[in-house]
Amino acid sequence: MASPLLIAALCMGKRQTKFFVFCFAGMGVCLLSAYINTFFAALYGADTFAATAEIAPVVEEVLKLLPLLFYLLVFEPKAGQIKIAAVITALSFATFENVCYLIQNGAGHFSFIFFRGIGTGAMHVICGAIVGGGLAYVWQRVWLKIAGTCGLLGAAITFHAIYNLLIAYGGVAQYIAYFLPVLILIAGKLITHRLML
């Protein structure tokens, strides 16, 4: 799946290198999180519900944060670059996760997979926006870096866990979970647009 992106990265030139690096980082941490989730689920003897609602949000959000921390510590980017890097990493993570889900479960129920893909993608974007937007703010203040980063990670984990909990519960709650992140993104976009006017 990454090979077309690698070819595109070679053709696009150095100006687009960061974009592709964060795409690869998002896909890489998605793959790594699958192994770590499985390890912790086996270690704690967690059933599917517990693994989905308790283990996966923590592992996935921590791993999505790691490339951003590396970027912040090594390159000291501007605030806008941090936000973009976080969203690209989250989108790439969600895309790779959706492809893996499709391969694992097949396309027999296309409408279910379609709504799951949109909901999960929106949830990961929201978590990326929480962390990216927050890091752009807290990393400008030396006294707030550690506590702020931990707080942002906690907020992203909590939102992710609520989403996964509703999905794992099933029924109507599952469909509410699919639409909730999309509605939050739309509301956030409308509020941002009004504030800029």
Side-chain angles (χ1 to χ4, degrees), residues 10 13 23 27 29 53 62 74 79 81 87-88 107 114 117 119 123 128 130 138 140 155 184 190:
L10 294 172
C23 281
M27 286 189 241
V29 295
V62 167
V74 175
Q81 294 172 319
V87 171
I88 291 170
F114 177 76
M123 180 272 300
I130 289 169
V138 301
Q140 294 176 358
I184 291 171
L190 291 173

Side-chain angles (χ1 to χ4, degrees), residues 95-161:
T95 301
F96 194 81
E97 186 179 61
N98 284 337
V99 168
C100 292
Y101 187 85
L102 182 63
I103 290 169
Q104 184 179 11
N105 296 300
H109 303 285
F110 178 76
S111 61
F112 173 75
I113 290 171
F114 177 76
F115 289 117
R116 185 210 174 272
I118 289 175
T120 302
M123 180 272 300
H124 280 292
V125 168
I126 290 170
C127 291
I130 289 169
V131 172
L135 287 176
Y137 177 80
V138 301
W139 277 69
Q140 294 176 358
R141 291 144 183 86
V142 176
W143 55 273
L144 196 54
K145 283 184 181 180
I146 295 172
T149 302
C150 292
L152 293 166
L153 181 61
I157 289 170
T158 302
F159 184 76
H160 193 152

Side-chain angles (χ1 to χ4, degrees), residues 155-178:
I157 289 170
T158 302
F159 184 76
H160 193 152
I162 291 168
Y163 177 83
N164 282 7
L165 184 64
L166 291 171
I167 296 294
Y169 189 76
V172 176
Q174 185 176 21
Y175 289 97
I176 290 171
Y178 291 144

